[in-house]
Amino acid sequence: GIMRLKAEVINMIDPVFGRKDPKLDYHTRIGAYGVIPDHSGARLLILQAPNHALFLPGGGVEEGETPEVTLARELLEEFGATVHVTQKLGKSSEYFYSHHRQTAYYHPATFFACDQLAFVQDPLETFNTLMLMPIDLALAELKRPTHRWAVAKWLANQPKR
């Protein structure tokens, strides 16, 4: 069941999801994302893109940025929020094909556990839907397996409620 799956998933070091198709030319896109609970600890900050796909807050690392800087910048842009990074959960990557962009991607990303979520300004991006989602729902509905892995890893580190 879920507990066995969780143990297997959490013990993976830098897991790689998806399969690399030798016929495709992959575009590398490095990312940084946060697992960010609200003050109750029962819900996570989630972004819903215009195509309805659900993602953890974060995005692509720009030249000269550390993953921590990327996460802080993306949080302000997407959510108008700040957080305190408490822990690096690890790295995970995925090979996938974006039908929307007609592009094959190799997407390695660093994931962080965060707390002290605060909304400090209006988001710069206004086309996303921003939500606080119950953890079990986020685990089931996040689009990328790397994001689900990060939530499972974060959850395993939480004190039992």
Side-chain angles (χ1 to χ4, degrees):
I2 184 108
M3 289 317 289
R4 192 176 60 83
L5 166 78
K6 220 163 75 169
E8 283 171 15
V9 165
I10 284 137
N11 295 329
M12 293 168 80
I13 306 293
D14 296 0
V16 178
F17 296 93
R19 266 208 315 276
K20 186 175 184 178
D21 183 337
K23 295 189 292 290
L24 294 176
D25 187 20
Y26 286 83
H27 178 80
T28 298
R29 186 169 170 270
I30 300 167
Y33 298 91
V35 179
I36 305 170
D38 67 1
H39 296 293
S40 75
R43 297 182 303 173
L44 296 177
L45 192 62
I46 300 291
L47 181 142
Q48 186 178 48
N51 67 356
H52 301 299
L54 301 178
F55 301 98
L56 291 173
V61 175
E62 291 178 1
E63 198 157 336
E65 284 185 335
T66 62
E68 291 87 344
V69 167
T70 299
L71 179 59
R73 175 181 52 76
E74 291 280 352
L75 270 168
L76 274 178
E77 289 175 7
E78 295 172 341
F79 292 90
T82 59
V83 296
H84 171 71
V85 170
T86 57
Q87 185 199 357
K88 181 171 156 180
L89 289 167
K91 291 183 175 171
S92 178
S93 56
E94 184 187 8
Y95 290 96
F96 66 94
Y97 185 79
S98 168
H99 292 281
H100 177 62
R101 294 205 173 92
Q102 302 285 296
T103 306
Y105 287 101
Y106 169 60
H107 189 37
T110 306
F111 293 86
F112 297 97
C114 306
D115 64 7
Q116 297 175 36
L117 171 62
F119 296 97
V120 297
Q121 64 180 52
D122 288 333
L124 300 178
E125 297 176 1
T126 55
F127 44 81
N128 298 309
T129 303
L130 313 178
M131 55 182 97
L132 287 166
M133 182 175 271
I135 292 164
D136 55 347
L137 210 55
L139 262 175
E141 312 244 335
L142 282 162
K143 182 175 173 80
R144 306 252 73 92
T146 51
H147 291 213
R148 297 193 298 269
W149 167 82
V151 172
K153 197 167 167 79
W154 172 82
L155 200 54
N157 293 339
Q158 296 308 296
K160 291 284 171 278
R161 264 200 291 276

